[in-house]
Amino acid sequence: MIELKNVCYIYGENTVMEVGALKNVNLKIGDGQFIGLIGHTGSGKSTLIQHLNGLIRATSGEIYFNGQNIYAEGYKMRDLRSKVGLVFQYPEHQLFEVDVFSDVCFGPKNQGLPEDEVKQRAREAMELVGLDESYDSKSPFELSGGQKRRVAIAGVLAMKPEVLILDEPTAGLDPKGRDEILDQISKLKQERNITVILVSHSMEDVAKYVDRIIVMNHGEVLFDDTPGKVFHHYRELEKVGLAAPQVTYITHALMEKGFPIKAEAITVEEAKQEILKALQETNEKIPNN
Ligand SMILES: Nc1ncnc2c1ncn2[C@@H]1O[C@H](COP(=O)(O)OP(=O)(O)OP(=O)(O)O)[C@@H](O)[C@H]1O
Ligand SMILES: [Mg+2]
């Protein structure tokens, strides 16, 4: 469990460049949750998640990890970093070894694990993200954007974090690459039963995976609820530069036209079921049909 209490963060405090990036953020993130953190560019998503593993220290406020204040004297930030794994927005910032396998080994090696276990974890993590042995000796820099991202994710997974945070894991990928990565993350979440926080610009991308959506706007939490409930606010979301999934617009339009449908559908499949159910109910009410 991670808890944020009145967290504020100011870049360049007391300078002319001062930017209030987080304003009084209060959140509780329970174990095993699958969370989408959404917001337009500059809303504070990357700043927020870097607080969760101690990379950025809040200007004011408190953060608790499993009940312990991470800013308390003597708190082991190093342990926090291996428990809360962060995959950066730009994988280039995370990859630096000469070859892929060494890169994936870096985290567990740094945790002080024996060599055998380091290698075993690296192999396992690469398998989880769909990279076979043929990648071992490649330079991380000669890979495609999607492959680099997989290496960066494997590097964090090899540390077996309790919480996995991915900052825009699908940026720059084509729809197929995007679906592959998200499906893999979702599978991983189920297999390892970890907490996952997925940062994204796009509601559409995360809607079918996550069970909670936190919407950020100008450094503040605007909405925090299940996807269906958050999408009810689709008009407010548009005002802050976001859009609900397309099916949300369709279900709402049908509802406004008097079609007896529940507007909670967030995926095309759910919308289909809702529409079929409503049609069936309507037919049953009409005699001789
Ligand atoms: N290193 C920095 N120095 C100064 N200001 C910064 C720095 N990093 C971010 N900011 C500012 O802090 C605010 C929040 O930025 P942040 O990167 O957290 O947003 P974001 O939601 O992750 O955006 P994006 O979707 O573009 O990645 C923005 O106003 C941004 O300009
Ligand atoms: Mg960002």
Short mmCIF file of all heavy atoms in Angstrom, two decimals, residues 13-76:
data_model
loop_
_atom_site.label_atom_id
_atom_site.label_comp_id
_atom_site.label_asym_id
_atom_site.label_seq_id
_atom_site.Cartn_x
_atom_site.Cartn_y
_atom_site.Cartn_z
N GLU A 13 12.14 25.74 -7.11
CA GLU A 13 11.54 26.56 -6.07
C GLU A 13 12.39 27.81 -5.80
O GLU A 13 13.62 27.75 -5.81
CB GLU A 13 11.41 25.73 -4.79
CG GLU A 13 10.39 26.31 -3.84
CD GLU A 13 10.28 25.51 -2.54
OE1 GLU A 13 11.11 24.62 -2.32
OE2 GLU A 13 9.37 25.81 -1.77
N ASN A 14 11.72 28.91 -5.58
CA ASN A 14 12.37 30.20 -5.31
C ASN A 14 13.25 30.70 -6.44
O ASN A 14 14.21 31.43 -6.21
CB ASN A 14 13.20 30.14 -4.01
CG ASN A 14 12.33 29.77 -2.83
OD1 ASN A 14 11.17 30.17 -2.76
ND2 ASN A 14 12.88 28.98 -1.93
N THR A 15 12.95 30.29 -7.66
CA THR A 15 13.65 30.87 -8.81
C THR A 15 12.59 31.44 -9.74
O THR A 15 11.39 31.21 -9.54
CB THR A 15 14.47 29.81 -9.60
OG1 THR A 15 13.55 28.93 -10.26
CG2 THR A 15 15.38 28.98 -8.71
N VAL A 16 13.04 32.15 -10.77
CA VAL A 16 12.05 32.70 -11.71
C VAL A 16 11.40 31.59 -12.53
O VAL A 16 10.36 31.79 -13.15
CB VAL A 16 12.70 33.72 -12.70
CG1 VAL A 16 12.95 35.03 -11.99
CG2 VAL A 16 13.96 33.17 -13.33
N MET A 17 12.05 30.40 -12.51
CA MET A 17 11.52 29.27 -13.29
C MET A 17 10.51 28.43 -12.51
O MET A 17 10.11 27.37 -12.97
CB MET A 17 12.68 28.36 -13.72
CG MET A 17 13.84 29.03 -14.39
SD MET A 17 13.40 29.51 -16.05
CE MET A 17 13.51 27.92 -16.83
N GLU A 18 10.14 28.87 -11.33
CA GLU A 18 9.30 28.07 -10.44
C GLU A 18 8.03 27.51 -11.13
O GLU A 18 7.28 28.27 -11.75
CB GLU A 18 8.89 28.95 -9.27
CG GLU A 18 8.43 28.18 -8.08
CD GLU A 18 8.30 29.08 -6.86
OE1 GLU A 18 9.32 29.34 -6.19
OE2 GLU A 18 7.16 29.50 -6.58
N VAL A 19 7.85 26.19 -11.04
CA VAL A 19 6.64 25.55 -11.59
C VAL A 19 6.03 24.66 -10.51
O VAL A 19 6.70 23.76 -10.00
CB VAL A 19 6.98 24.63 -12.80
CG1 VAL A 19 5.72 23.94 -13.32
CG2 VAL A 19 7.66 25.40 -13.92
N GLY A 20 4.79 24.92 -10.15
CA GLY A 20 4.09 24.05 -9.21
C GLY A 20 3.57 22.84 -9.95
O GLY A 20 2.54 22.91 -10.62
N ALA A 21 4.29 21.71 -9.89
CA ALA A 21 3.94 20.56 -10.72
C ALA A 21 2.92 19.64 -10.03
O ALA A 21 2.13 18.98 -10.69
CB ALA A 21 5.19 19.78 -11.10
N LEU A 22 2.93 19.61 -8.69
CA LEU A 22 1.92 18.83 -7.95
C LEU A 22 1.35 19.69 -6.84
O LEU A 22 2.10 20.38 -6.13
CB LEU A 22 2.54 17.56 -7.34
CG LEU A 22 3.06 16.48 -8.29
CD1 LEU A 22 3.66 15.33 -7.48
CD2 LEU A 22 1.97 15.95 -9.21
N LYS A 23 0.01 19.65 -6.72
CA LYS A 23 -0.64 20.49 -5.72
C LYS A 23 -1.53 19.64 -4.84
O LYS A 23 -2.56 19.13 -5.31
CB LYS A 23 -1.47 21.56 -6.42
CG LYS A 23 -0.62 22.53 -7.24
CD LYS A 23 -1.46 23.27 -8.26
CE LYS A 23 -0.57 23.85 -9.34
NZ LYS A 23 -1.29 24.18 -10.56
N ASN A 24 -1.11 19.45 -3.61
CA ASN A 24 -1.94 18.74 -2.64
C ASN A 24 -2.52 17.43 -3.13
O ASN A 24 -3.73 17.25 -3.15
CB ASN A 24 -3.11 19.64 -2.23
CG ASN A 24 -2.77 20.36 -0.96
OD1 ASN A 24 -2.19 19.75 -0.03
ND2 ASN A 24 -3.08 21.64 -0.92
N VAL A 25 -1.65 16.53 -3.50
CA VAL A 25 -2.12 15.25 -4.00
C VAL A 25 -2.31 14.27 -2.83
O VAL A 25 -1.38 14.05 -2.04
CB VAL A 25 -1.14 14.68 -5.04
CG1 VAL A 25 -1.56 13.26 -5.46
CG2 VAL A 25 -1.08 15.59 -6.27
N ASN A 26 -3.51 13.73 -2.72
CA ASN A 26 -3.82 12.73 -1.71
C ASN A 26 -4.30 11.47 -2.42
O ASN A 26 -5.27 11.53 -3.17
CB ASN A 26 -4.94 13.22 -0.79
CG ASN A 26 -4.45 14.29 0.15
OD1 ASN A 26 -3.70 14.03 1.08
ND2 ASN A 26 -4.84 15.53 -0.13
N LEU A 27 -3.61 10.36 -2.19
CA LEU A 27 -3.99 9.13 -2.87
C LEU A 27 -3.67 7.93 -1.99
O LEU A 27 -2.71 7.97 -1.21
CB LEU A 27 -3.19 8.95 -4.16
CG LEU A 27 -3.49 9.80 -5.38
CD1 LEU A 27 -2.42 9.57 -6.44
CD2 LEU A 27 -4.87 9.49 -5.95
N LYS A 28 -4.47 6.87 -2.15
CA LYS A 28 -4.14 5.59 -1.53
C LYS A 28 -4.10 4.56 -2.64
O LYS A 28 -5.07 4.43 -3.39
CB LYS A 28 -5.21 5.19 -0.51
CG LYS A 28 -5.00 5.78 0.84
CD LYS A 28 -5.97 5.20 1.83
CE LYS A 28 -5.91 6.00 3.12
NZ LYS A 28 -7.08 5.81 3.95
N ILE A 29 -3.01 3.86 -2.74
CA ILE A 29 -2.88 2.86 -3.79
C ILE A 29 -2.74 1.49 -3.13
O ILE A 29 -1.71 1.19 -2.50
CB ILE A 29 -1.68 3.19 -4.69
CG1 ILE A 29 -1.96 4.51 -5.43
CG2 ILE A 29 -1.41 2.06 -5.69
CD1 ILE A 29 -0.77 5.14 -6.08
N GLY A 30 -3.80 0.71 -3.21
CA GLY A 30 -3.84 -0.58 -2.53
C GLY A 30 -3.07 -1.65 -3.28
O GLY A 30 -2.86 -1.54 -4.49
N ASP A 31 -2.66 -2.71 -2.56
CA ASP A 31 -1.91 -3.80 -3.19
C ASP A 31 -2.76 -4.48 -4.26
O ASP A 31 -3.95 -4.71 -4.06
CB ASP A 31 -1.50 -4.83 -2.14
CG ASP A 31 -0.48 -4.24 -1.18
OD1 ASP A 31 0.13 -3.21 -1.53
OD2 ASP A 31 -0.31 -4.79 -0.07
N GLY A 32 -2.12 -4.80 -5.36
CA GLY A 32 -2.79 -5.57 -6.41
C GLY A 32 -3.69 -4.76 -7.32
O GLY A 32 -4.34 -5.32 -8.20
N GLN A 33 -3.74 -3.45 -7.13
CA GLN A 33 -4.60 -2.65 -8.01
C GLN A 33 -3.95 -2.46 -9.38
O GLN A 33 -2.73 -2.53 -9.51
CB GLN A 33 -4.85 -1.26 -7.40
CG GLN A 33 -5.77 -1.31 -6.19
CD GLN A 33 -6.31 0.07 -5.81
OE1 GLN A 33 -5.72 1.10 -6.10
NE2 GLN A 33 -7.44 0.07 -5.15
N PHE A 34 -4.80 -2.26 -10.37
CA PHE A 34 -4.32 -1.98 -11.73
C PHE A 34 -4.86 -0.59 -12.07
O PHE A 34 -6.06 -0.40 -12.23
CB PHE A 34 -4.86 -3.04 -12.70
CG PHE A 34 -4.11 -3.12 -14.00
CD1 PHE A 34 -4.32 -4.19 -14.86
CD2 PHE A 34 -3.19 -2.16 -14.37
CE1 PHE A 34 -3.63 -4.29 -16.06
CE2 PHE A 34 -2.49 -2.25 -15.56
CZ PHE A 34 -2.71 -3.31 -16.41
N ILE A 35 -3.96 0.39 -12.09
CA ILE A 35 -4.38 1.79 -12.15
C ILE A 35 -3.92 2.45 -13.44
O ILE A 35 -2.78 2.26 -13.87
CB ILE A 35 -3.78 2.56 -10.94
CG1 ILE A 35 -4.36 1.99 -9.64
CG2 ILE A 35 -4.05 4.06 -11.05
CD1 ILE A 35 -3.79 2.61 -8.40
N GLY A 36 -4.79 3.23 -14.03
CA GLY A 36 -4.40 4.07 -15.16
C GLY A 36 -4.25 5.50 -14.66
O GLY A 36 -5.15 6.02 -14.01
N LEU A 37 -3.09 6.10 -14.90
CA LEU A 37 -2.87 7.50 -14.49
C LEU A 37 -2.88 8.33 -15.78
O LEU A 37 -2.01 8.18 -16.63
CB LEU A 37 -1.53 7.61 -13.77
CG LEU A 37 -1.12 8.98 -13.24
CD1 LEU A 37 -2.10 9.46 -12.17
CD2 LEU A 37 0.29 8.94 -12.65
N ILE A 38 -3.93 9.15 -15.90
CA ILE A 38 -4.18 9.84 -17.17
C ILE A 38 -4.11 11.34 -16.98
O ILE A 38 -4.46 11.86 -15.91
CB ILE A 38 -5.61 9.50 -17.68
CG1 ILE A 38 -5.91 8.03 -17.53
CG2 ILE A 38 -5.82 9.98 -19.10
CD1 ILE A 38 -5.37 7.15 -18.59
N GLY A 39 -3.71 12.04 -18.02
CA GLY A 39 -3.71 13.50 -17.97
C GLY A 39 -3.05 14.04 -19.21
O GLY A 39 -2.24 13.34 -19.83
N HIS A 40 -3.40 15.27 -19.58
CA HIS A 40 -2.78 15.85 -20.77
C HIS A 40 -1.31 16.16 -20.47
O HIS A 40 -0.86 16.05 -19.33
CB HIS A 40 -3.54 17.09 -21.22
CG HIS A 40 -3.52 18.18 -20.20
ND1 HIS A 40 -2.46 19.04 -20.06
CD2 HIS A 40 -4.40 18.50 -19.23
CE1 HIS A 40 -2.71 19.86 -19.06
NE2 HIS A 40 -3.88 19.53 -18.54
N THR A 41 -0.61 16.58 -21.50
CA THR A 41 0.82 16.82 -21.34
C THR A 41 1.07 17.94 -20.31
O THR A 41 0.35 18.93 -20.27
CB THR A 41 1.46 17.11 -22.72
OG1 THR A 41 2.84 17.28 -22.54
CG2 THR A 41 0.88 18.35 -23.37
N GLY A 42 2.02 17.70 -19.42
CA GLY A 42 2.34 18.70 -18.40
C GLY A 42 1.44 18.67 -17.18
O GLY A 42 1.56 19.52 -16.29
N SER A 43 0.56 17.66 -17.06
CA SER A 43 -0.38 17.65 -15.93
C SER A 43 0.26 17.12 -14.64
O SER A 43 -0.34 17.19 -13.58
CB SER A 43 -1.62 16.83 -16.28
OG SER A 43 -1.26 15.52 -16.65
N GLY A 44 1.47 16.56 -14.76
CA GLY A 44 2.17 16.13 -13.54
C GLY A 44 2.32 14.63 -13.36
O GLY A 44 2.76 14.17 -12.30
N LYS A 45 1.98 13.86 -14.37
CA LYS A 45 2.01 12.40 -14.25
C LYS A 45 3.42 11.87 -13.94
O LYS A 45 3.62 11.12 -12.99
CB LYS A 45 1.49 11.73 -15.55
CG LYS A 45 0.12 12.21 -15.98
CD LYS A 45 -0.36 11.52 -17.24
CE LYS A 45 0.46 11.82 -18.50
NZ LYS A 45 0.44 13.22 -18.94
N SER A 46 4.39 12.28 -14.77
CA SER A 46 5.75 11.77 -14.57
C SER A 46 6.32 12.24 -13.23
O SER A 46 7.01 11.50 -12.54
CB SER A 46 6.68 12.21 -15.71
OG SER A 46 6.24 11.65 -16.92
N THR A 47 6.00 13.48 -12.89
CA THR A 47 6.48 14.02 -11.60
C THR A 47 5.91 13.18 -10.45
O THR A 47 6.63 12.78 -9.54
CB THR A 47 6.05 15.50 -11.45
OG1 THR A 47 6.49 16.21 -12.60
CG2 THR A 47 6.62 16.11 -10.19
N LEU A 48 4.62 12.88 -10.54
CA LEU A 48 3.96 12.13 -9.48
C LEU A 48 4.60 10.74 -9.29
O LEU A 48 4.96 10.36 -8.17
CB LEU A 48 2.46 11.99 -9.80
CG LEU A 48 1.66 11.10 -8.85
CD1 LEU A 48 1.64 11.71 -7.45
CD2 LEU A 48 0.23 10.94 -9.33
N ILE A 49 4.76 10.02 -10.38
CA ILE A 49 5.25 8.65 -10.21
C ILE A 49 6.71 8.60 -9.75
O ILE A 49 7.10 7.66 -9.08
CB ILE A 49 5.06 7.79 -11.49
CG1 ILE A 49 5.71 8.47 -12.67
CG2 ILE A 49 3.59 7.50 -11.73
CD1 ILE A 49 5.86 7.56 -13.85
N GLN A 50 7.49 9.62 -10.08
CA GLN A 50 8.88 9.61 -9.61
C GLN A 50 8.97 9.83 -8.10
O GLN A 50 10.00 9.54 -7.49
CB GLN A 50 9.71 10.65 -10.36
CG GLN A 50 9.96 10.24 -11.80
CD GLN A 50 10.70 11.29 -12.58
OE1 GLN A 50 11.90 11.44 -12.44
NE2 GLN A 50 9.98 12.05 -13.38
N HIS A 51 7.88 10.32 -7.50
CA HIS A 51 7.84 10.41 -6.04
C HIS A 51 7.70 9.03 -5.40
O HIS A 51 8.13 8.81 -4.29
CB HIS A 51 6.63 11.25 -5.59
CG HIS A 51 6.88 12.72 -5.65
ND1 HIS A 51 6.84 13.43 -6.82
CD2 HIS A 51 7.18 13.60 -4.67
CE1 HIS A 51 7.09 14.70 -6.55
NE2 HIS A 51 7.31 14.83 -5.27
N LEU A 52 7.03 8.12 -6.15
CA LEU A 52 6.65 6.85 -5.53
C LEU A 52 7.83 5.92 -5.28
O LEU A 52 7.75 5.02 -4.47
CB LEU A 52 5.58 6.13 -6.38
CG LEU A 52 4.32 6.97 -6.68
CD1 LEU A 52 3.32 6.15 -7.46
CD2 LEU A 52 3.69 7.50 -5.39
N ASN A 53 8.93 6.14 -5.99
CA ASN A 53 10.12 5.33 -5.66
C ASN A 53 11.25 6.21 -5.14
O ASN A 53 12.41 5.81 -5.13
CB ASN A 53 10.56 4.47 -6.84
CG ASN A 53 11.27 5.25 -7.91
OD1 ASN A 53 11.18 6.47 -7.93
ND2 ASN A 53 11.98 4.57 -8.78
N GLY A 54 10.89 7.41 -4.72
CA GLY A 54 11.86 8.26 -4.05
C GLY A 54 12.83 9.01 -4.97
O GLY A 54 13.77 9.64 -4.49
N LEU A 55 12.61 8.95 -6.28
CA LEU A 55 13.52 9.66 -7.19
C LEU A 55 13.39 11.17 -7.04
O LEU A 55 14.35 11.91 -7.22
CB LEU A 55 13.21 9.30 -8.64
CG LEU A 55 13.97 8.14 -9.24
CD1 LEU A 55 13.57 7.97 -10.70
CD2 LEU A 55 15.47 8.36 -9.13
N ILE A 56 12.16 11.61 -6.78
CA ILE A 56 11.92 13.03 -6.52
C ILE A 56 11.38 13.13 -5.10
O ILE A 56 10.55 12.31 -4.69
CB ILE A 56 10.86 13.61 -7.51
CG1 ILE A 56 11.42 13.64 -8.93
CG2 ILE A 56 10.42 15.00 -7.08
CD1 ILE A 56 10.46 14.26 -9.95
N ARG A 57 11.87 14.12 -4.36
CA ARG A 57 11.41 14.29 -2.99
C ARG A 57 10.38 15.41 -2.94
O ARG A 57 10.63 16.51 -3.44
CB ARG A 57 12.60 14.62 -2.09
CG ARG A 57 12.26 14.53 -0.63
CD ARG A 57 13.33 15.13 0.25
NE ARG A 57 12.78 15.30 1.57
CZ ARG A 57 13.00 14.48 2.59
NH1 ARG A 57 13.84 13.47 2.45
NH2 ARG A 57 12.43 14.69 3.76
N ALA A 58 9.23 15.12 -2.33
CA ALA A 58 8.16 16.11 -2.28
C ALA A 58 8.64 17.40 -1.63
O ALA A 58 9.42 17.36 -0.67
CB ALA A 58 6.97 15.54 -1.50
N THR A 59 8.18 18.54 -2.15
CA THR A 59 8.50 19.84 -1.55
C THR A 59 7.81 19.92 -0.18
O THR A 59 8.37 20.40 0.79
CB THR A 59 8.02 20.98 -2.47
OG1 THR A 59 8.53 20.75 -3.78
CG2 THR A 59 8.49 22.32 -1.97
N SER A 60 6.57 19.41 -0.13
CA SER A 60 5.91 19.25 1.16
C SER A 60 4.94 18.07 1.07
O SER A 60 4.59 17.65 -0.04
CB SER A 60 5.17 20.53 1.56
OG SER A 60 4.19 20.82 0.60
N GLY A 61 4.53 17.57 2.22
CA GLY A 61 3.64 16.41 2.24
C GLY A 61 4.40 15.15 2.62
O GLY A 61 5.61 15.19 2.80
N GLU A 62 3.65 14.06 2.73
CA GLU A 62 4.25 12.79 3.17
C GLU A 62 3.87 11.64 2.26
O GLU A 62 2.79 11.64 1.66
CB GLU A 62 3.74 12.44 4.57
CG GLU A 62 4.35 13.27 5.67
CD GLU A 62 3.34 13.53 6.78
OE1 GLU A 62 2.52 12.65 7.08
OE2 GLU A 62 3.38 14.65 7.31
N ILE A 63 4.76 10.67 2.20
CA ILE A 63 4.48 9.46 1.43
C ILE A 63 4.78 8.24 2.31
O ILE A 63 5.85 8.17 2.93
CB ILE A 63 5.31 9.40 0.13
CG1 ILE A 63 4.94 10.60 -0.76
CG2 ILE A 63 5.07 8.08 -0.60
CD1 ILE A 63 5.73 10.70 -2.04
N TYR A 64 3.82 7.33 2.37
CA TYR A 64 4.00 6.11 3.16
C TYR A 64 4.01 4.90 2.24
O TYR A 64 3.15 4.78 1.36
CB TYR A 64 2.85 5.95 4.17
CG TYR A 64 2.87 7.03 5.21
CD1 TYR A 64 2.28 8.27 4.97
CD2 TYR A 64 3.49 6.83 6.45
CE1 TYR A 64 2.32 9.29 5.91
CE2 TYR A 64 3.53 7.83 7.40
CZ TYR A 64 2.95 9.06 7.14
OH TYR A 64 2.99 10.06 8.06
N PHE A 65 5.00 4.02 2.43
CA PHE A 65 5.02 2.77 1.69
C PHE A 65 4.88 1.66 2.72
O PHE A 65 5.70 1.56 3.65
CB PHE A 65 6.33 2.62 0.89
CG PHE A 65 6.37 1.36 0.06
CD1 PHE A 65 5.58 1.25 -1.07
CD2 PHE A 65 7.19 0.30 0.42
CE1 PHE A 65 5.60 0.08 -1.83
CE2 PHE A 65 7.21 -0.87 -0.33
CZ PHE A 65 6.41 -0.97 -1.46
N ASN A 66 3.85 0.84 2.57
CA ASN A 66 3.53 -0.20 3.56
C ASN A 66 3.58 0.34 4.99
O ASN A 66 4.18 -0.26 5.88
CB ASN A 66 4.47 -1.40 3.40
CG ASN A 66 4.22 -2.12 2.08
OD1 ASN A 66 3.15 -1.98 1.48
ND2 ASN A 66 5.20 -2.88 1.63
N GLY A 67 2.99 1.51 5.17
CA GLY A 67 2.86 2.09 6.50
C GLY A 67 4.05 2.89 6.99
O GLY A 67 3.98 3.53 8.04
N GLN A 68 5.16 2.85 6.24
CA GLN A 68 6.35 3.57 6.72
C GLN A 68 6.55 4.87 5.95
O GLN A 68 6.47 4.88 4.71
CB GLN A 68 7.59 2.70 6.54
CG GLN A 68 7.70 1.62 7.60
CD GLN A 68 9.02 0.88 7.44
OE1 GLN A 68 9.24 0.22 6.43
NE2 GLN A 68 9.87 1.01 8.44
N ASN A 69 6.86 5.91 6.68
CA ASN A 69 7.12 7.21 6.06
C ASN A 69 8.47 7.16 5.33
O ASN A 69 9.51 6.97 5.96
CB ASN A 69 7.14 8.27 7.16
CG ASN A 69 7.28 9.67 6.58
OD1 ASN A 69 7.71 9.86 5.43
ND2 ASN A 69 6.89 10.67 7.37
N ILE A 70 8.44 7.33 4.02
CA ILE A 70 9.69 7.18 3.26
C ILE A 70 10.65 8.34 3.48
O ILE A 70 11.81 8.27 3.11
CB ILE A 70 9.46 6.97 1.74
CG1 ILE A 70 8.92 8.23 1.06
CG2 ILE A 70 8.52 5.79 1.48
CD1 ILE A 70 9.01 8.16 -0.48
N TYR A 71 10.15 9.42 4.09
CA TYR A 71 11.03 10.55 4.38
C TYR A 71 11.57 10.52 5.81
O TYR A 71 12.28 11.43 6.23
CB TYR A 71 10.30 11.88 4.12
CG TYR A 71 9.86 12.04 2.68
CD1 TYR A 71 8.62 12.59 2.35
CD2 TYR A 71 10.69 11.64 1.63
CE1 TYR A 71 8.23 12.73 1.03
CE2 TYR A 71 10.29 11.77 0.30
CZ TYR A 71 9.06 12.31 0.01
OH TYR A 71 8.68 12.44 -1.30
N ALA A 72 11.19 9.48 6.56
CA ALA A 72 11.68 9.38 7.94
C ALA A 72 13.18 9.10 7.92
O ALA A 72 13.69 8.48 6.98
CB ALA A 72 10.95 8.25 8.66
N GLU A 73 13.86 9.58 8.96
CA GLU A 73 15.30 9.37 9.02
C GLU A 73 15.61 7.88 9.06
O GLU A 73 14.94 7.11 9.73
CB GLU A 73 15.84 10.04 10.29
CG GLU A 73 17.13 10.78 10.03
CD GLU A 73 17.61 11.45 11.29
OE1 GLU A 73 16.97 12.45 11.68
OE2 GLU A 73 18.60 10.96 11.87
N GLY A 74 16.59 7.45 8.31
CA GLY A 74 16.99 6.06 8.33
C GLY A 74 16.19 5.17 7.40
O GLY A 74 16.46 3.98 7.28
N TYR A 75 15.19 5.73 6.74
CA TYR A 75 14.41 4.91 5.81
C TYR A 75 15.30 4.50 4.63
O TYR A 75 16.03 5.33 4.09
CB TYR A 75 13.18 5.67 5.30
CG TYR A 75 12.28 4.79 4.46
CD1 TYR A 75 11.35 3.95 5.06
CD2 TYR A 75 12.41 4.73 3.07
CE1 TYR A 75 10.56 3.10 4.29
CE2 TYR A 75 11.62 3.89 2.30
CZ TYR A 75 10.70 3.08 2.92
OH TYR A 75 9.92 2.24 2.15
N LYS A 76 15.22 3.23 4.27
CA LYS A 76 16.11 2.73 3.22
C LYS A 76 15.52 2.96 1.82
O LYS A 76 14.76 2.15 1.32
CB LYS A 76 16.39 1.24 3.43
CG LYS A 76 17.20 0.96 4.67
CD LYS A 76 17.90 -0.40 4.52
CE LYS A 76 18.73 -0.75 5.73
NZ LYS A 76 17.92 -1.16 6.90
#
